[in-house]
Amino acid sequence: MKVKNSTDYCNEKEFSRFFLKHSELLHNFIYYKCGNIEMADDLVQDSFLKFWNNCNKVISGKAKSFLFTIANNLFLNAYAKTKVVLNFKNSLPKNYTNESPEFLLEEKEFGSKLQNAISNLTEAQRTAFLMNRIDGKKYREIAEILGISIKAVEKRIHNALVNLRKEIENI
């Protein structure tokens, strides 16, 4: 549903004109708020994307304000998330544990043997395995990224697990 008195920001040429006119100013606005150029780049891109997705709701004369409000809200959300992460990191226990020294030594040895076992995997197995276990990617996503079939991803991860079990079984 189109809002009355609206410039057609859903038109690519009009949106492009608007983007060129305001992108540098918006970038500077966000950069001054956060002090991080990469974060500013991301937030500007996200702001214009959100503006584009809501282009039919923009009232002519209020477009710049709407865009800057979007950017400011995105910045505040990112800042709040960063603050939560920092609070969590600060709440982590210090460098002491209740584990015995023997347990800590065994854990350290196991970690190094696991790293060694992972490095002994083929590059294809290691890539698929780490994308799944570390990055949390689904088999379908890994297949798309690597340009292979889902079955090939399943086989690579299966073979990686078999090889890891063989090497770690001796521990």
Side-chain angles (χ1 to χ4, degrees):
M1 146 173 138
K2 205 123 172 109
V3 178
K4 290 184 179 179
N5 291 332
S6 68
T7 304
D8 191 10
Y9 290 106
C10 295
N11 177 310
E12 283 187 33
K13 287 184 181 180
E14 184 62 28
F15 180 81
S16 179
R17 184 197 63 73
F18 182 77
F19 174 82
L20 292 173
K21 184 176 180 182
H22 297 291
S23 61
E24 186 177 353
L25 183 61
L26 182 64
H27 185 272
N28 291 342
F29 170 74
I30 295 297
Y31 176 69
Y32 299 149
K33 287 180 82 79
C34 68
N36 182 329
I37 196 110
E38 290 85 10
M39 184 178 185
D41 291 342
D42 290 344
L43 290 175
V44 167
Q45 183 177 353
D46 291 346
S47 299
F48 275 103
L49 180 63
K50 200 164 196 165
F51 182 92
W52 175 258
N53 289 335
N54 294 295
C55 63
N56 58 349
K57 298 176 184 174
V58 178
I59 299 172
S60 186
K62 302 280 185 183
K64 182 178 175 185
S65 174
F66 183 68
L67 176 67
F68 276 68
T69 300
I70 290 170
N72 191 52
N73 289 342
L74 289 172
F75 166 74
L76 292 174
N77 289 342
Y79 180 75
K81 182 178 178 185
T82 304
K83 203 170 169 184
V84 167
V85 170
L86 288 175
N87 286 339
F88 176 75
K89 284 183 179 179
N90 291 337
S91 71
L92 291 176
K94 303 300 176 211
N95 291 335
Y96 56 87
T97 64
N98 293 331
E99 285 85 18
S100 68
E102 294 83 19
F103 175 80
L104 295 174
L105 181 61
E106 287 176 10
E107 184 179 42
K108 185 176 178 182
E109 287 175 0
F110 180 78
S112 65
K113 288 180 182 180
L114 179 61
Q115 289 293 336
N116 188 35
I118 290 173
S119 67
N120 289 337
L121 295 173
T122 66
E123 182 182 343
Q125 291 173 349
R126 184 174 47 253
T127 302
F129 177 76
L130 293 176
M131 286 177 83
N132 177 253
R133 299 301 164 108
I134 303 298
D135 296 337
K137 301 274 186 215
K138 305 241 184 286
Y139 287 8
R140 178 187 47 77
E141 294 171 318
I142 296 169
E144 289 173 9
I145 292 169
L146 299 178
I148 58 176
S149 70
I150 295 174
K151 283 291 184 187
V153 172
E154 290 173 358
K155 183 152 179 86
R156 287 180 183 184
I157 292 176
H158 171 74
N159 288 338
L161 289 170
V162 167
N163 290 339
L164 289 173
R165 282 187 191 113
K166 273 190 230 173
E167 286 200 39
I168 293 176
E169 186 177 298
N170 298 331
I171 295 176

Coordinates of all heavy atoms in Angstrom, one line a residue, residues 87-157:
N87 N 30.1 -7.7 28.8 CA 29.7 -8.0 30.2 C 29.9 -9.5 30.4 O 30.3 -9.9 31.5 CB 28.3 -7.6 30.4 CG 28.1 -6.1 30.6 OD1 29.1 -5.4 30.9 ND2 26.9 -5.6 30.4
F88 N 29.6 -10.3 29.4 CA 29.8 -11.8 29.6 C 31.2 -12.1 29.8 O 31.6 -12.9 30.6 CB 29.2 -12.5 28.4 CG 29.4 -14.0 28.5 CD1 28.7 -14.8 29.3 CD2 30.4 -14.6 27.7 CE1 28.9 -16.2 29.4 CE2 30.6 -16.0 27.7 CZ 29.9 -16.7 28.6
K89 N 32.1 -11.5 28.9 CA 33.5 -11.8 29.0 C 34.1 -11.4 30.4 O 34.9 -12.0 31.0 CB 34.3 -11.1 27.9 CG 34.2 -11.7 26.6 CD 35.0 -11.0 25.5 CE 34.9 -11.7 24.2 NZ 35.7 -11.0 23.2
N90 N 33.6 -10.3 30.9 CA 34.0 -9.8 32.2 C 33.5 -10.6 33.3 O 34.1 -10.6 34.4 CB 33.6 -8.3 32.4 CG 34.4 -7.4 31.5 OD1 35.4 -7.7 31.0 ND2 33.8 -6.2 31.3
S91 N 32.4 -11.4 33.1 CA 31.9 -12.2 34.2 C 32.5 -13.6 34.2 O 32.2 -14.4 35.1 CB 30.4 -12.3 34.0 OG 30.0 -13.1 32.9
L92 N 33.3 -13.9 33.3 CA 34.0 -15.2 33.2 C 34.9 -15.4 34.4 O 35.5 -14.4 34.9 CB 34.8 -15.4 31.9 CG 33.9 -15.5 30.7 CD1 34.9 -15.6 29.5 CD2 33.0 -16.8 30.7
P93 N 35.0 -16.6 35.0 CA 35.9 -16.8 36.1 C 37.3 -16.5 35.8 O 37.7 -16.6 34.6 CB 35.7 -18.3 36.5 CG 35.0 -18.9 35.3 CD 34.3 -17.8 34.6
K94 N 38.1 -16.2 36.8 CA 39.5 -15.9 36.6 C 40.3 -17.2 36.3 O 39.8 -18.2 36.0 CB 40.1 -15.1 37.8 CG 39.3 -13.9 38.1 CD 39.3 -12.9 37.0 CE 38.4 -11.7 37.2 NZ 37.8 -11.1 36.1
N95 N 41.6 -17.1 36.4 CA 42.5 -18.2 36.0 C 42.7 -19.3 37.0 O 43.7 -19.8 37.2 CB 43.9 -17.6 35.6 CG 43.9 -16.8 34.4 OD1 43.0 -17.0 33.5 ND2 44.8 -15.8 34.3
Y96 N 41.6 -19.6 37.7 CA 41.7 -20.7 38.7 C 40.6 -21.7 38.4 O 39.6 -21.3 37.9 CB 41.7 -20.2 40.1 CG 40.4 -19.4 40.4 CD1 39.3 -20.0 40.8 CD2 40.5 -18.0 40.3 CE1 38.1 -19.3 41.1 CE2 39.3 -17.3 40.6 CZ 38.2 -17.9 41.0 OH 37.0 -17.2 41.3
T97 N 40.8 -22.9 38.7 CA 39.8 -24.0 38.5 C 39.8 -24.9 39.7 O 40.7 -24.9 40.5 CB 40.2 -24.8 37.2 OG1 41.4 -25.5 37.4 CG2 40.3 -23.9 36.0
N98 N 38.8 -25.8 39.7 CA 38.7 -26.8 40.7 C 39.2 -28.1 40.3 O 39.2 -29.1 41.0 CB 37.2 -26.9 41.2 CG 36.7 -25.7 41.9 OD1 37.5 -24.9 42.5 ND2 35.5 -25.4 41.8
E99 N 39.7 -28.2 39.0 CA 40.2 -29.4 38.5 C 41.6 -29.7 39.1 O 42.4 -28.8 39.3 CB 40.3 -29.4 37.0 CG 38.9 -29.6 36.3 CD 38.2 -28.3 36.1 OE1 38.8 -27.2 36.2 OE2 37.0 -28.3 35.9
S100 N 41.9 -31.0 39.1 CA 43.2 -31.4 39.6 C 44.3 -31.1 38.5 O 44.0 -31.0 37.3 CB 43.3 -32.9 39.9 OG 43.1 -33.6 38.7
P101 N 45.5 -30.9 39.0 CA 46.6 -30.7 38.0 C 46.7 -31.8 37.0 O 47.1 -31.6 35.8 CB 47.9 -30.6 38.8 CG 47.4 -30.2 40.2 CD 46.0 -30.8 40.3
E102 N 46.5 -33.0 37.4 CA 46.5 -34.2 36.5 C 45.5 -34.0 35.4 O 45.8 -34.3 34.2 CB 46.3 -35.5 37.2 CG 47.4 -35.9 38.2 CD 47.3 -35.2 39.6 OE1 46.1 -34.7 39.9 OE2 48.3 -35.1 40.3
F103 N 44.3 -33.7 35.8 CA 43.2 -33.5 34.8 C 43.6 -32.4 33.8 O 43.4 -32.5 32.6 CB 41.9 -33.1 35.5 CG 40.8 -32.8 34.5 CD1 40.1 -33.9 33.9 CD2 40.4 -31.5 34.2 CE1 39.1 -33.6 33.0 CE2 39.4 -31.2 33.3 CZ 38.7 -32.3 32.7
L104 N 44.1 -31.3 34.3 CA 44.5 -30.2 33.4 C 45.6 -30.6 32.4 O 45.5 -30.2 31.3 CB 44.9 -29.0 34.2 CG 43.8 -28.3 35.1 CD1 44.4 -27.2 36.0 CD2 42.7 -27.8 34.2
L105 N 46.5 -31.4 32.9 CA 47.6 -31.9 32.0 C 47.0 -32.8 31.0 O 47.4 -32.7 29.8 CB 48.7 -32.6 32.9 CG 49.9 -33.1 32.1 CD1 50.6 -31.9 31.4 CD2 50.8 -33.8 33.0
E106 N 46.2 -33.7 31.4 CA 45.5 -34.6 30.4 C 44.7 -33.9 29.4 O 44.7 -34.2 28.2 CB 44.6 -35.7 31.1 CG 45.4 -36.7 31.9 CD 44.5 -37.6 32.7 OE1 43.2 -37.6 32.5 OE2 45.0 -38.4 33.5
E107 N 44.0 -32.8 29.8 CA 43.2 -32.0 28.9 C 44.1 -31.3 27.9 O 43.7 -31.3 26.7 CB 42.4 -31.0 29.7 CG 41.4 -30.2 28.9 CD 40.6 -29.2 29.8 OE1 41.2 -28.6 30.7 OE2 39.4 -29.1 29.5
K108 N 45.2 -30.8 28.4 CA 46.1 -30.1 27.5 C 46.7 -31.1 26.5 O 46.8 -30.8 25.3 CB 47.2 -29.4 28.3 CG 48.1 -28.6 27.5 CD 49.1 -27.9 28.4 CE 50.1 -27.1 27.6 NZ 51.1 -26.4 28.4
E109 N 47.1 -32.3 26.9 CA 47.6 -33.3 26.0 C 46.6 -33.7 25.0 O 46.9 -33.9 23.8 CB 48.1 -34.5 26.8 CG 49.4 -34.3 27.6 CD 49.8 -35.4 28.5 OE1 49.1 -36.5 28.5 OE2 50.8 -35.3 29.2
F110 N 45.4 -33.9 25.5 CA 44.3 -34.3 24.6 C 44.1 -33.3 23.5 O 43.9 -33.5 22.3 CB 43.0 -34.6 25.3 CG 41.9 -35.0 24.4 CD1 41.8 -36.3 23.9 CD2 40.9 -34.1 24.1 CE1 40.7 -36.7 23.1 CE2 39.8 -34.5 23.2 CZ 39.8 -35.8 22.8
G111 N 44.1 -32.0 23.9 CA 43.9 -30.9 23.0 C 44.9 -30.9 21.9 O 44.6 -30.7 20.7
S112 N 46.2 -31.1 22.3 CA 47.3 -31.0 21.3 C 47.2 -32.3 20.4 O 47.4 -32.1 19.2 CB 48.6 -31.0 22.0 OG 48.9 -32.1 22.7
K113 N 46.8 -33.4 20.9 CA 46.6 -34.6 20.1 C 45.5 -34.5 19.1 O 45.5 -34.9 18.0 CB 46.5 -35.9 20.9 CG 47.8 -36.3 21.6 CD 47.7 -37.5 22.5 CE 49.0 -37.8 23.2 NZ 48.9 -39.0 24.0
L114 N 44.4 -33.8 19.6 CA 43.2 -33.6 18.7 C 43.6 -32.6 17.6 O 43.3 -32.8 16.4 CB 42.1 -33.0 19.5 CG 40.8 -32.7 18.7 CD1 40.2 -33.9 18.1 CD2 39.8 -32.0 19.6
Q115 N 44.4 -31.6 17.9 CA 44.8 -30.6 16.9 C 45.7 -31.4 15.9 O 45.6 -31.1 14.7 CB 45.6 -29.5 17.5 CG 44.8 -28.5 18.3 CD 43.9 -27.7 17.4 OE1 44.1 -27.6 16.2 NE2 42.8 -27.2 18.0
N116 N 46.6 -32.2 16.4 CA 47.4 -33.0 15.5 C 46.6 -33.9 14.6 O 46.9 -34.1 13.4 CB 48.5 -33.8 16.3 CG 49.5 -34.5 15.4 OD1 49.9 -33.9 14.4 ND2 49.9 -35.7 15.8
A117 N 45.6 -34.6 15.2 CA 44.7 -35.5 14.4 C 44.0 -34.7 13.3 O 43.8 -35.2 12.2 CB 43.8 -36.2 15.3
I118 N 43.5 -33.5 13.7 CA 42.7 -32.7 12.7 C 43.7 -32.3 11.6 O 43.3 -32.3 10.4 CB 42.1 -31.5 13.4 CG1 40.9 -32.0 14.3 CG2 41.6 -30.5 12.4 CD1 40.3 -30.9 15.1
S119 N 44.9 -31.9 11.9 CA 45.9 -31.5 10.9 C 46.3 -32.7 10.0 O 46.7 -32.5 8.8 CB 47.1 -30.9 11.5 OG 47.8 -31.9 12.2
N120 N 46.1 -33.9 10.4 CA 46.4 -35.1 9.6 C 45.3 -35.5 8.6 O 45.5 -36.3 7.7 CB 46.7 -36.3 10.5 CG 48.1 -36.2 11.1 OD1 48.9 -35.4 10.7 ND2 48.3 -36.9 12.2
L121 N 44.1 -34.8 8.8 CA 43.0 -35.1 7.8 C 43.4 -34.5 6.5 O 44.2 -33.6 6.4 CB 41.7 -34.4 8.3 CG 41.1 -35.0 9.6 CD1 40.0 -34.1 10.0 CD2 40.7 -36.4 9.5
T122 N 42.7 -35.0 5.4 CA 43.0 -34.4 4.1 C 42.4 -33.0 4.1 O 41.5 -32.7 5.0 CB 42.3 -35.2 3.0 OG1 40.9 -35.2 3.2 CG2 42.8 -36.7 3.0
E123 N 42.8 -32.2 3.2 CA 42.3 -30.8 3.2 C 40.8 -30.8 3.0 O 40.1 -30.0 3.7 CB 43.0 -30.0 2.1 CG 42.5 -28.6 2.0 CD 43.1 -27.8 0.9 OE1 44.2 -28.3 0.3 OE2 42.6 -26.7 0.6
A124 N 40.2 -31.6 2.1 CA 38.8 -31.7 1.9 C 38.0 -32.1 3.1 O 37.0 -31.5 3.5 CB 38.5 -32.7 0.7
Q125 N 38.5 -33.1 3.8 CA 37.9 -33.6 5.1 C 38.0 -32.5 6.1 O 37.0 -32.2 6.8 CB 38.6 -34.9 5.6 CG 38.3 -36.1 4.7 CD 39.2 -37.3 5.2 OE1 40.0 -37.1 6.0 NE2 38.9 -38.4 4.6
R126 N 39.1 -31.9 6.3 CA 39.3 -30.9 7.4 C 38.4 -29.7 7.1 O 37.8 -29.2 8.0 CB 40.8 -30.5 7.4 CG 41.1 -29.5 8.5 CD 42.6 -29.2 8.6 NE 43.3 -28.9 7.4 CZ 44.1 -29.8 6.7 NH1 44.4 -30.9 7.2 NH2 44.7 -29.4 5.6
T127 N 38.4 -29.3 5.9 CA 37.5 -28.1 5.5 C 36.1 -28.4 5.8 O 35.4 -27.6 6.5 CB 37.7 -27.7 4.0 OG1 39.1 -27.5 3.8 CG2 36.9 -26.5 3.7
A128 N 35.5 -29.5 5.4 CA 34.1 -29.8 5.6 C 33.9 -30.0 7.1 O 32.9 -29.5 7.6 CB 33.7 -31.0 4.8
F129 N 34.7 -30.7 7.8 CA 34.6 -31.0 9.2 C 34.5 -29.7 10.0 O 33.7 -29.5 10.8 CB 35.7 -31.9 9.7 CG 35.6 -32.3 11.1 CD1 34.7 -33.2 11.6 CD2 36.5 -31.6 12.0 CE1 34.7 -33.4 13.0 CE2 36.5 -31.9 13.4 CZ 35.6 -32.8 13.8
L130 N 35.5 -28.9 9.8 CA 35.6 -27.6 10.6 C 34.5 -26.7 10.3 O 34.0 -26.0 11.1 CB 37.0 -27.0 10.4 CG 38.1 -27.8 11.0 CD1 39.5 -27.1 10.7 CD2 38.0 -28.0 12.5
M131 N 34.0 -26.6 9.0 CA 32.9 -25.7 8.6 C 31.7 -26.2 9.4 O 30.9 -25.4 9.8 CB 32.7 -25.8 7.1 CG 33.7 -25.0 6.3 SD 33.5 -25.1 4.6 CE 32.2 -23.8 4.4
N132 N 31.5 -27.5 9.5 CA 30.4 -28.1 10.2 C 30.5 -27.9 11.7 O 29.5 -27.4 12.4 CB 30.2 -29.6 9.9 CG 29.0 -30.2 10.6 OD1 29.2 -31.0 11.5 ND2 27.8 -29.9 10.2
R133 N 31.6 -28.3 12.3 CA 31.7 -28.3 13.8 C 32.1 -26.9 14.4 O 31.6 -26.6 15.4 CB 32.8 -29.3 14.2 CG 32.4 -30.7 13.8 CD 31.1 -31.2 14.4 NE 30.5 -32.3 13.7 CZ 30.5 -33.5 14.3 NH1 30.9 -33.7 15.5 NH2 29.9 -34.5 13.6
I134 N 32.9 -26.2 13.7 CA 33.3 -24.9 14.3 C 32.4 -23.7 13.8 O 31.9 -23.0 14.6 CB 34.8 -24.5 13.8 CG1 35.7 -25.6 14.3 CG2 35.2 -23.2 14.4 CD1 35.8 -25.9 15.8
D135 N 32.1 -23.7 12.5 CA 31.3 -22.6 12.0 C 29.8 -22.9 12.1 O 28.9 -22.0 11.9 CB 31.6 -22.3 10.5 CG 33.0 -21.8 10.3 OD1 33.5 -21.2 11.3 OD2 33.5 -21.9 9.2
G136 N 29.4 -24.2 12.4 CA 28.0 -24.5 12.6 C 27.2 -24.6 11.3 O 26.0 -24.4 11.3
K137 N 27.9 -24.7 10.2 CA 27.2 -24.8 8.9 C 26.5 -26.1 8.7 O 27.0 -27.2 9.1 CB 28.2 -24.6 7.7 CG 29.0 -23.3 7.8 CD 28.2 -22.2 7.1 CE 29.1 -20.9 7.0 NZ 28.3 -19.8 7.2
K138 N 25.4 -26.1 8.1 CA 24.7 -27.3 7.7 C 25.3 -27.9 6.5 O 26.0 -27.3 5.7 CB 23.2 -27.0 7.5 CG 22.5 -26.2 8.6 CD 21.4 -27.0 9.1 CE 20.6 -26.3 10.2 NZ 21.2 -26.2 11.5
Y139 N 25.1 -29.2 6.3 CA 25.6 -29.9 5.1 C 25.3 -29.2 3.8 O 26.1 -29.1 2.9 CB 25.2 -31.4 5.0 CG 25.8 -32.3 6.1 CD1 26.6 -31.8 7.1 CD2 25.6 -33.6 6.0 CE1 27.1 -32.6 8.1 CE2 26.1 -34.5 7.0 CZ 26.9 -34.0 8.0 OH 27.5 -34.8 8.9
R140 N 24.1 -28.7 3.7 CA 23.6 -28.0 2.5 C 24.4 -26.8 2.3 O 24.8 -26.5 1.1 CB 22.1 -27.7 2.6 CG 21.5 -27.0 1.4 CD 20.1 -26.5 1.7 NE 19.8 -25.9 3.0 CZ 20.2 -24.6 3.3 NH1 20.8 -23.9 2.4 NH2 19.9 -24.2 4.5
E141 N 24.6 -26.0 3.3 CA 25.4 -24.8 3.2 C 26.8 -25.1 2.8 O 27.4 -24.3 2.0 CB 25.4 -24.0 4.5 CG 24.0 -23.5 5.0 CD 24.0 -23.0 6.4 OE1 24.6 -23.6 7.3 OE2 23.4 -21.9 6.6
I142 N 27.4 -26.1 3.4 CA 28.8 -26.5 3.0 C 28.9 -26.9 1.6 O 29.8 -26.5 0.8 CB 29.3 -27.6 3.9 CG1 29.4 -27.1 5.4 CG2 30.7 -28.1 3.5 CD1 29.6 -28.2 6.4
A143 N 27.9 -27.6 1.1 CA 27.9 -28.1 -0.3 C 27.8 -26.9 -1.2 O 28.5 -26.8 -2.2 CB 26.7 -29.0 -0.5
E144 N 27.0 -25.9 -0.9 CA 26.9 -24.7 -1.7 C 28.2 -23.9 -1.7 O 28.6 -23.4 -2.8 CB 25.7 -23.8 -1.2 CG 24.4 -24.3 -1.4 CD 23.3 -23.5 -0.8 OE1 23.6 -22.4 -0.2 OE2 22.1 -23.9 -0.8
I145 N 28.8 -23.8 -0.6 CA 30.1 -23.0 -0.5 C 31.2 -23.7 -1.3 O 31.9 -23.0 -2.0 CB 30.5 -22.8 1.0 CG1 29.5 -21.9 1.7 CG2 31.9 -22.2 1.1 CD1 29.6 -21.8 3.2
L146 N 31.3 -25.0 -1.1 CA 32.4 -25.7 -1.8 C 32.0 -26.2 -3.2 O 32.9 -26.6 -3.9 CB 32.7 -27.0 -0.9 CG 33.2 -26.7 0.5 CD1 33.5 -28.1 1.2 CD2 34.5 -25.9 0.5
G147 N 30.8 -26.0 -3.6 CA 30.4 -26.4 -5.0 C 30.4 -27.9 -5.2 O 30.8 -28.3 -6.3
I148 N 30.0 -28.6 -4.2 CA 29.9 -30.1 -4.3 C 28.5 -30.5 -3.8 O 27.7 -29.7 -3.4 CB 31.0 -30.8 -3.4 CG1 30.9 -30.4 -1.9 CG2 32.4 -30.5 -4.0 CD1 31.9 -31.1 -1.0
S149 N 28.2 -31.8 -4.0 CA 26.9 -32.3 -3.6 C 26.9 -32.5 -2.1 O 27.9 -32.6 -1.4 CB 26.6 -33.7 -4.3 OG 27.5 -34.7 -3.8
I150 N 25.7 -32.6 -1.6 CA 25.5 -32.9 -0.1 C 26.0 -34.2 0.3 O 26.6 -34.4 1.3 CB 24.0 -32.7 0.2 CG1 23.5 -31.3 0.0 CG2 23.7 -33.2 1.7 CD1 22.0 -31.1 0.2
K151 N 25.9 -35.2 -0.6 CA 26.4 -36.6 -0.3 C 27.9 -36.5 -0.2 O 28.5 -37.2 0.6 CB 26.0 -37.5 -1.5 CG 24.6 -38.0 -1.4 CD 24.4 -38.9 -0.2 CE 23.0 -39.5 -0.1 NZ 22.8 -40.2 1.1
A152 N 28.6 -35.7 -1.0 CA 30.0 -35.5 -0.9 C 30.4 -34.9 0.4 O 31.4 -35.4 1.0 CB 30.6 -34.7 -2.1
V153 N 29.7 -34.0 0.9 CA 29.9 -33.4 2.2 C 29.8 -34.4 3.3 O 30.6 -34.5 4.2 CB 29.0 -32.2 2.4 CG1 29.1 -31.7 3.9 CG2 29.3 -31.1 1.5
E154 N 28.7 -35.2 3.2 CA 28.4 -36.2 4.2 C 29.6 -37.2 4.2 O 30.0 -37.6 5.3 CB 27.1 -37.0 3.9 CG 25.9 -36.2 4.1 CD 24.6 -36.9 3.6 OE1 24.7 -38.0 3.0 OE2 23.5 -36.3 3.7
K155 N 30.1 -37.6 3.1 CA 31.2 -38.6 3.0 C 32.5 -38.0 3.6 O 33.2 -38.7 4.3 CB 31.4 -39.0 1.5 CG 32.5 -40.1 1.4 CD 32.2 -40.9 0.2 CE 33.3 -41.9 0.0 NZ 33.1 -43.2 0.7
R156 N 32.7 -36.7 3.3 CA 33.9 -36.1 3.8 C 33.9 -36.0 5.3 O 34.9 -36.3 6.0 CB 34.1 -34.7 3.2 CG 34.5 -34.7 1.8 CD 34.7 -33.3 1.2 NE 35.0 -33.4 -0.2 CZ 35.3 -32.3 -0.9 NH1 35.3 -31.1 -0.4 NH2 35.6 -32.4 -2.2
I157 N 32.8 -35.6 5.9 CA 32.7 -35.5 7.3 C 32.7 -36.9 8.0 O 33.3 -37.1 9.0 CB 31.4 -34.7 7.7 CG1 31.6 -33.2 7.2 CG2 31.2 -34.8 9.2 CD1 30.4 -32.3 7.5

